[in-house]
């Protein structure tokens, strides 16, 4: 199929204030859910049921009743509350979804700004639906299809030129809330302004990473990803390996998700995969490519047996109950029986684990002459050659392909980035020795004298293009790369745990890069240095990182070692220094903005809370979780939560004060973690005036703008304030509540001890109810309780268990 060039014209995208999703299946409902997440009222429609359910019959309903006619859409909406992980930022977001059906509510489509079709993958059904949509279509409304591979041009054959100018493919990846990739596919007449503005809207409002695709079978990510899975299946058979052994190689060792190949297939559904592979095979003309997408007999048999993966309870893996409890078995491809899992033993896998960078891990694997190395080389070689050979057919540039695979399949490196990592010259030389035909694009690269598809020129990243030259990689000004800034010499100071970087406009960024961003002496030292440097030379400070998570808390191993050595003065010093560092952030004479994302736990939350503002990513999971290791927050978390919940409260209003303190107690004692940035607001980890960034790539930019705005508005550091506490009376109330949980068997004796220490701190100790105390007074109580608990053998057992198992111990 030929690619499409959007038409130039005068059409403009009006602001999208309301949307409609047609089709309330798993994907349609989830798209509606994400639109609601970002504040867009959405109409969710599905077909009218032909039959009554038994429940409807029992209620005396008829096919004419509205509740029956809207049943499928309503079920789609209700499913959003049950799915895990949740498609919604908060349950309240679903209030923006209005359900209806494709008969009674079809005329309502004239009142929306964007119509998204998400019905069954059948060309005729889609064509008929778009003909109906045009009959009510209001000029200027964008219409799109969420197809995963049907031709965008064929869908709108026979539609008017005006309609086609506003039509394109918008292929969301599942689940839409969490998967970054959105493939946008123009048809031959799509207006260039509509295309450009929809791309900007998707990036800035929906938080997506957008790749513009050509109208070819399965577009970019599914085309390459499906080919890669086909190659892997064949390599497994050729090398006589099992699915579990293949997954040992094709997961994190190769820079891909932990679910690797066959666990991913089970999650996607084998029938879905077969449909995607068949779609490519039926729509390409090259016999070799048709053969490459021919589904293996093994998969055909599994689909016939209804072994479709997670949705049917078995696929390549199967969960069973044994005497030892639950066990996961794996399919033996030769016998079609399930057997216990086994690890692939290969020296190259061990070497890959020791690699410091993904490039080192990959080189250790693909050039090794053991089973893991042979598998890694075969699937890497085949995928790279296929991608380069078909690049011009499926994409306009290598960057689009790399982004599609990183954002759509969660690869650490896209195909051309991966090729650079293993060495283009070395890998091509081996491919030639093995009789492979090298694609023209790669020959052009090597003939030009270059040895990689990407290079950096005067601080700008450039990529090799189809025309045979290097050009600047197109990137939004809203994407700030700390690693690139450090390469450009913008690092102000740094140590093993953190760096201070000039991010422009006289704003500095404190970046955490210790293992798991855990807070230790190095980070505390850099906080002190950052405070001095920013006060003297900068307008403001942003705190963030580029790792998978913002910060998972304090260095637990270090704390445990000191406790086991009875080194209480050292622990006391560490906690004091952390508390002092947080105080220096709160009272710095320049604005401080925290930009958290991902897991932001324990000490990570304590870093954020003293800051003047928090600009959090939508996918931020915040929580003071110290009770999980037998402790309470020690870096000011208790004090900061009291500050937030008691702000504006009359100290003499004891009736109002106690419920607020109760709420803080429950939040910390139950280690409540937000499920999103918006969800963090209900715990007051985020305040009403803190910001949320939907697109993670724009987080640093938006945090920087907040810091600049505060500075330009004449920023003044806050002054310490007294905090009203509930005192002994409130302490008894909190203890009594915890005692009830103990007697009911919900908590252990040690849980009760931890709760007592927490209650004492939050109540302000042995003082009268309504007393105003200083921040330092509460910090001292907090530190004393922390030191007391870390000396407890059961707390140390919890810490040890968390470090070893990664989950809390109840003792």
């Amino acid at each position: 199929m030929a690619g499409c060039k959007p038409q130039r014209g005068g059409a403009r995208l009006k602001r999208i204030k309301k949307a409609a999703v047609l089709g309330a299946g798993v994907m349609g409902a989830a798209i509606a859910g994400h639109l609601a997440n970002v504040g867009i009222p959405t109409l969710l429609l599905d077909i009218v049921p032909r039959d009554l359910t038994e429940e409807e019959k029992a209620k005396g309903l008829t096919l004419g009743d509205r509740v029956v006619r809207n049943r499928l859409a309503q079920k789609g909406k209700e499913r959003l509350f049950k799915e895990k992980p949740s498609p919604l930022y908060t349950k309240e977001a679903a209030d923006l979804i209005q359900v209806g059906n494709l008969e009674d509510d079809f005329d309502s489509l004239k009142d929306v700004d964007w119509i998204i079709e998400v019905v069954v993958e059948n060309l005729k059904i889609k064509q008929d639906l778009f003909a109906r949509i045009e009959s009510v279509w209001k000029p200027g409304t964008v219409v799109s299809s969420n197809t995963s591979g049907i031709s965008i041009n064929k869908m709108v054959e026979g539609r008017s030129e005006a309609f086609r100018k506003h039509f394109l493919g918008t292929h969301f990846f599942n689940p839409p809330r969490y998967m970054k990739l959105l493939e946008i596919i123009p048809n031959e007449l799509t207006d260039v302004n509509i295309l450009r503005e929809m791309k900007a809207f998707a990036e800035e409002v929906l938080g997506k990473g957008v790749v513009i695709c050509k109208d070819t079978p399965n577009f970019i990510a599914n085309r390459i990803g499906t080919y890669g899975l086909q190659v892997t299946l064949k390599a497994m058979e050729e090398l006589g390996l099992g699915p579990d052994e293949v997954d040992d190689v094709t997961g994190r060792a190769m820079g891909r998700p932990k679910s690797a190949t066959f666990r991913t297939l089970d999650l996607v559904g084998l029938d879905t995969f077969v449909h995607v592979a068949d779609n490519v095979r039926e729509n390409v003309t090259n016999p070799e490519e048709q053969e490459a997408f021919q589904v293996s007999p093994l998969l055909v048999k599994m689909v016939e047996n209804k072994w479709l993966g997670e949705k049917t309870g078995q696929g390549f893996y199967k969960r069973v109950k044994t005497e030892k409890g639950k066990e996961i078995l794996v399919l033996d491809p030769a016998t079609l029986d399930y057997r216990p899992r086994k690890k692939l033993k290969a020296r190259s896998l061990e070497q890959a684990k020791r690699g410091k960078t993904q490039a080192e891990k990959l080189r250790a694997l693909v050039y090794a002459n053991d089973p893991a190395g042979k598998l890694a080389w075969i699937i890497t070689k085949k995928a790279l050659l296929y991608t380069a050979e078909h690049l011009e057919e499926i994409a306009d540039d290598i960057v689009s392909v790399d982004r599609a695979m990183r954002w759509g399949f969660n690869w650490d490196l896209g195909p051309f980035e991966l090729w650079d990592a293993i060495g283009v010259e070395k890998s091509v030389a081996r491919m030639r020795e093995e009789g492979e035909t090298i694609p023209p694009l790669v020959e052009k690269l090597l003939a030009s004298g270059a040895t990689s598809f990407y290079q950096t020129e005067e601080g700008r990243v450039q990529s090799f293009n189809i025309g045979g030259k290097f050009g600047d990689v197109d990137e939004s000004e809203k994407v700030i790369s700390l690693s690139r800034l450090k390469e450009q010499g913008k690092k102000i100071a740094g140590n093993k745990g953190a760096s201070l970087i000039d991010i422009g406009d006289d704003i500095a960024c404190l970046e955490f890069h210790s293992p798991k961003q855990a807070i230790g002496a190095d980070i505390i030292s850099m906080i002190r240095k950052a405070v001095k440097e920013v006060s003297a030379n900068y307008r403001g400070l942003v705190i963030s990182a580029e790792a998978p998570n913002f910060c998972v808390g304090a260095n637990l191993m270090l704390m445990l070692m000191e406790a086991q050595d009875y080194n209480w003065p050292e622990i006391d010093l560490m906690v004091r220094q952390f508390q002092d560092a947080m105080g220096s952030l709160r009272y710095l004479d320049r604005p401080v903005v925290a930009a958290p994302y991902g897991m932001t736990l324990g000490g990570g939350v304590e870093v954020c809370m003293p800051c003047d503002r928090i600009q959090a990513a939508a996918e931020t999971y915040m929580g003071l979780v110290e009770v999980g290791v037998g402790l309470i927050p020690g870096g000011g978390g208790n004090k900061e939560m009291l500050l937030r919940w008691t702000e504006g409260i009359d100290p003499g209003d004891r009736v109002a004060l106690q419920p607020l303190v109760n709420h803080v107690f429950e939040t910390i004692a139950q280690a409540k973690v937000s499920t999103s940035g918006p969800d963090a607001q209900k715990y007051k980890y985020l305040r009403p005036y803190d910001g949320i960034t939907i697109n993670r790539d724009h987080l640093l930019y938006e945090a920087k703008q907040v810091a600049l705005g505060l500075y330009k508005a004449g920023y003044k550091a806050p002054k310490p304030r007294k905090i009203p506490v509930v005192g002994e009376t409130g302490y008894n109330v909190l203890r009594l509540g915890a005692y009830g949980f103990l007697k009911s068997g919900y908590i252990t004796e040690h849980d009760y001890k931890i709760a007592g220490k927490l209650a004492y701190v939050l109540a302000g100790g042995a003082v009268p109810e309504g007393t105003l105390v200083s921040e330092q007074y509460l910090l001292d109580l907090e530190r004393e309780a922390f030191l007391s608990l870390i000396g407890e053998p059961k707390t140390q057992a919890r810490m040890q268990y968390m470090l070893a198992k990664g989950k809390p111990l109840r003792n």
Side-chain angles (χ1 to χ4, degrees):
M1 293 181 189
C4 303
K5 292 186 177 180
Q7 297 295 301
R8 298 198 174 275
R12 303 294 300 179
L13 175 66
K14 59 185 176 182
R15 183 180 172 192
I16 293 176
K17 298 179 182 178
K18 187 174 182 180
V21 176
L22 312 187
V26 171
M27 198 65 185
I31 291 171
H34 191 56
L35 290 169
N37 282 337
V38 299
I40 298 175
T42 301
L43 184 62
L44 180 62
L45 307 182
D46 210 311
I47 60 174
V48 174
R50 296 177 181 176
D51 301 296
L52 292 171
T53 65
E54 291 303 317
E55 184 181 356
E56 288 167 343
K57 290 176 184 177
K59 290 180 179 179
L61 297 172
T62 71
L63 290 174
D65 287 312
R66 187 73 169 175
V67 67
V68 174
R69 295 174 71 79
N70 292 350
R71 183 214 307 154
L72 295 179
Q74 182 63 33
K75 282 195 171 183
K77 179 177 177 178
E78 290 171 357
R79 195 165 51 244
L80 297 175
F81 299 107
K82 301 173 185 176
E83 290 184 4
K84 293 183 179 180
S86 175
L88 302 171
Y89 289 158
T90 65
K91 289 182 179 179
E92 293 74 19
D95 293 342
L96 290 175
I97 301 174
Q98 177 187 346
V99 300
N101 65 73
L102 289 168
E103 293 181 16
D104 304 326
D105 303 291
F106 208 77
D107 283 349
S108 298
L109 297 182
K110 67 179 182 295
D111 299 323
V112 305
D113 307 305
W114 182 17
I115 301 168
I116 311 169
E117 170 272 309
V118 200
V119 302
V120 63
E121 288 285 79
N122 178 292
L123 177 60
K124 180 66 166 61
I125 290 174
K126 290 179 187 289
Q127 287 175 331
D128 290 346
L129 180 58
F130 289 123
R132 283 189 66 202
I133 290 172
E134 187 169 14
S135 71
V136 299
W137 177 70
K138 182 173 61 179
T141 301
V142 174
V143 183
S144 70
S145 171
N146 183 61
T147 181
S148 59
I150 294 178
S151 170
I152 299 300
N153 280 287
K154 286 185 178 179
M155 284 185 202
V156 286
E157 285 180 352
R159 304 279 60 76
S160 69
E161 180 177 331
F163 186 87
R164 293 182 68 182
K165 279 187 175 183
H166 291 80
F167 181 79
L168 33 71
T170 50
H171 179 213
F172 288 82
F173 273 61
N174 194 29
R177 169 184 165 182
Y178 300 95
M179 293 301 292
K180 186 174 181 65
L181 180 62
L182 175 66
E183 292 181 321
I184 293 185
I185 313 98
N187 74 84
E188 292 172 351
L189 295 181
T190 302
D191 189 280
V192 69
N193 292 325
I194 297 295
L195 178 65
R196 181 172 56 245
E197 291 172 29
M198 278 299 291
K199 178 177 184 292
F201 170 81
E203 290 172 341
E204 295 174 14
V205 179
L206 301 181
K208 294 298 173 184
V210 175
V211 170
I212 306 298
C213 304
K214 295 182 179 181
D215 189 17
T216 55
N218 291 90
F219 315 127
I220 297 177
N222 276 344
R223 177 84 167 266
I224 295 170
T226 303
Y227 177 83
L229 286 166
Q230 286 283 92
V231 166
T232 305
L233 274 162
K234 290 179 182 177
M236 176 179 74
E237 295 169 1
E238 290 171 5
L239 297 173
L241 298 173
D244 48 349
E245 295 170 307
V246 171
D247 280 352
D248 285 341
V249 179
T250 59
R252 292 307 302 146
M254 290 187 67
R256 298 182 185 181
K258 289 181 180 179
S259 55
T261 300
F262 295 104
R263 281 173 291 173
T264 298
L265 269 175
D266 277 359
L267 289 168
V268 169
L270 272 64
D271 53 338
T272 301
F273 173 77
V274 168
H275 170 77
V276 173
D278 285 346
N279 187 62
V280 179
R281 181 175 52 79
E282 292 165 4
N283 287 283
V284 295
T285 55
N286 184 302
E288 288 185 11
E289 195 173 5
Q290 289 174 338
E291 172 63 25
F293 284 93
Q294 181 65 52
V295 177
S296 75
L298 172 63
L299 274 183
V300 172
K301 183 65 176 175
M302 292 176 73
V303 171
E304 287 177 356
N305 290 349
K306 303 297 182 185
W307 298 351
L308 306 181
E310 288 288 326
K311 59 188 172 185
T312 58
Q314 68 184 99
F316 284 98
Y317 294 92
K318 179 182 180 180
R319 288 186 178 88
V320 296
K321 290 183 179 179
T322 66
E323 294 177 357
K324 300 178 182 178
K326 291 182 180 178
E327 185 181 356
I328 299 176
L329 302 180
V330 66
L331 185 74
D332 184 329
T335 65
L336 292 185
D337 292 326
Y338 287 88
R339 60 165 174 79
R341 290 180 297 171
K342 59 186 178 183
K343 287 282 186 183
L344 178 62
K345 295 180 180 179
R347 185 181 177 189
S348 62
L349 278 174
E350 295 303 316
Q351 290 176 326
K353 288 178 183 177
R354 292 194 290 270
K356 293 182 179 179
T357 65
Q358 190 55 54
E360 289 178 5
K361 294 176 191 287
L362 285 165
R363 288 194 293 268
L365 264 179
V366 299
Y367 294 123
N369 190 29
D370 61 19
K374 290 176 181 177
L375 175 68
W377 171 252
I378 290 171
I379 61 181
T380 298
K381 176 183 75 170
K382 294 290 187 184
L384 296 183
L385 290 172
Y386 179 83
T387 304
E389 180 66 33
H390 294 277
L391 173 68
E392 195 166 356
E393 176 191 349
I394 63 176
D396 287 325
D397 51 62
I398 68 170
V399 178
S400 295
V401 170
D402 283 341
R403 287 174 175 171
M405 298 313 296
R406 281 193 281 110
W407 296 341
F409 277 72
N410 290 324
W411 290 10
D412 287 355
L413 301 173
F416 295 100
E417 294 166 324
L418 190 157
W419 214 327
D420 283 355
I422 66 173
V424 178
E425 287 183 306
K426 183 177 180 178
S427 60
V428 168
R430 180 174 173 182
M431 290 172 187
R432 291 191 205 279
E433 289 175 7
E434 295 175 358
E436 301 289 355
T437 300
I438 307 304
L441 177 76
V442 186
E443 296 284 21
K444 283 182 189 177
L445 175 79
L446 296 175
S448 74
T451 57
S452 63
F453 287 99
Y454 290 89
Q455 65 181 20
T456 302
E457 183 74 26
E458 297 179 354
R460 300 189 310 275
V461 178
Q462 298 185 323
S463 63
F464 194 71
N465 58 42
I466 292 170
K469 295 181 180 180
F470 282 90
D472 289 348
V473 172
D474 181 29
E475 198 153 55
S476 167
E477 65 170 354
K478 294 184 178 181
V479 177
I480 296 176
S481 168
L482 295 177
S483 56
R484 200 173 304 154
L485 287 171
K486 286 190 281 189
E487 290 172 2
Q488 295 169 8
K490 300 295 185 180
K491 186 166 82 170
I492 302 162
N495 58 30
K496 290 183 179 179
S499 295
L500 188 65
I501 304 156
D502 186 334
I503 59 174
D505 297 314
D506 290 329
I507 300 292
C509 177
L510 179 62
E511 176 198 20
F512 295 169
H513 48 65
S514 59
K516 295 185 179 179
Q517 292 62 59
I519 297 167
D522 285 339
I523 284 180
I524 292 172
S525 172
M526 278 307 302
I527 290 174
R528 288 198 295 262
K529 184 166 186 64
V531 165
K532 291 179 182 177
E533 182 69 27
V534 169
S535 178
N537 300 308
Y538 287 84
R539 293 175 170 182
L541 175 67
V542 171
I543 304 174
S544 198
E546 282 189 337
N549 295 301
F550 176 75
C551 177
V552 296
N555 189 326
L556 199 59
M557 175 65 79
L558 177 62
M559 286 284 190
L560 179 60
M561 289 171 61
E562 296 291 357
Q564 291 175 334
D565 288 342
Y566 305 103
N567 197 349
W568 313 125
E570 182 63 27
I571 296 174
D572 180 67
L573 178 62
M574 284 192 287
V575 177
R576 283 179 186 271
Q577 288 177 335
F578 185 34
Q579 289 181 343
D580 290 346
M582 297 305 97
S584 68
L585 291 176
R586 173 174 281 282
Y587 298 111
L588 178 61
D589 60 356
R590 295 289 186 271
V592 181
V593 179
Y597 58 89
M599 301 304 290
T600 302
L601 305 174
V605 176
E606 290 178 308
V607 167
C608 294
M609 289 203 292
C611 297
D612 299 292
R613 293 287 189 278
I614 300 175
Q615 186 69 31
E619 298 301 338
T620 303
Y621 319 114
M622 302 183 81
L624 293 166
V625 297
E626 287 83 353
V627 296
V629 290
L631 298 167
I632 68 167
N638 305 286
K639 179 261 295 184
E640 289 291 339
M641 286 293 278
L642 284 175
L643 275 170
R644 285 161 185 252
W645 279 93
T646 61
E647 188 172 7
I649 290 292
D650 180 355
D653 189 351
R654 300 173 186 179
V655 174
L657 185 58
Q658 184 71 54
L660 297 177
V661 177
N662 292 351
H663 193 96
V664 174
F665 178 75
E666 290 169 10
T667 299
I668 299 175
Q670 295 177 19
K672 292 183 178 179
V673 178
S674 71
T675 58
S676 66
D679 188 54
Q681 293 174 326
K682 75 181 181 187
Y683 302 114
K684 293 203 177 180
Y685 296 140
L686 297 183
R687 299 153 295 192
Y689 49 83
D690 287 325
I692 294 173
T693 296
I694 305 298
N695 191 325
R696 166 76 179 84
D697 289 345
H698 298 172
L699 181 61
L700 262 180
Y701 173 87
E702 293 187 3
K704 173 182 164 183
Q705 299 312 306
V706 173
L708 277 172
L710 289 171
Y711 177 84
K712 291 176 180 177
Y715 176 79
K716 300 292 183 185
K719 297 185 182 300
R721 73 175 177 90
K722 298 286 187 178
I723 305 169
V725 294
V726 292
E728 281 191 285
T729 304
Y731 167 63
N732 290 328
V733 171
L734 297 174
R735 279 286 296 266
L736 183 61
Y739 185 73
F741 278 100
L742 174 66
K743 286 303 178 183
S744 300
Y746 291 112
I747 64 174
T748 66
E749 288 282 354
H750 193 55
D751 291 327
Y752 182 60
K753 180 177 285 188
I754 298 164
K757 297 287 185 182
L758 176 63
Y760 190 77
V761 172
L762 294 177
V767 297
E769 185 179 5
T771 299
L772 289 171
V773 300
S774 68
E775 293 182 38
Q776 188 58 54
Y777 171 83
L778 285 173
L779 287 173
D780 291 341
L781 287 182
E782 188 172 303
R783 189 176 65 258
E784 290 164 9
F786 184 93
L787 288 166
S788 171
L789 286 169
I790 203 170
E792 293 281 345
K794 288 189 175 181
T795 285
Q796 292 178 20
R798 289 189 179 193
M799 295 170 74
Q800 187 81 53
Y801 193 84
M802 178 63 75
L803 289 165
K805 305 288 187 180
K807 56 185 179 182
L809 169 69
R810 293 295 306 278
N811 59 355

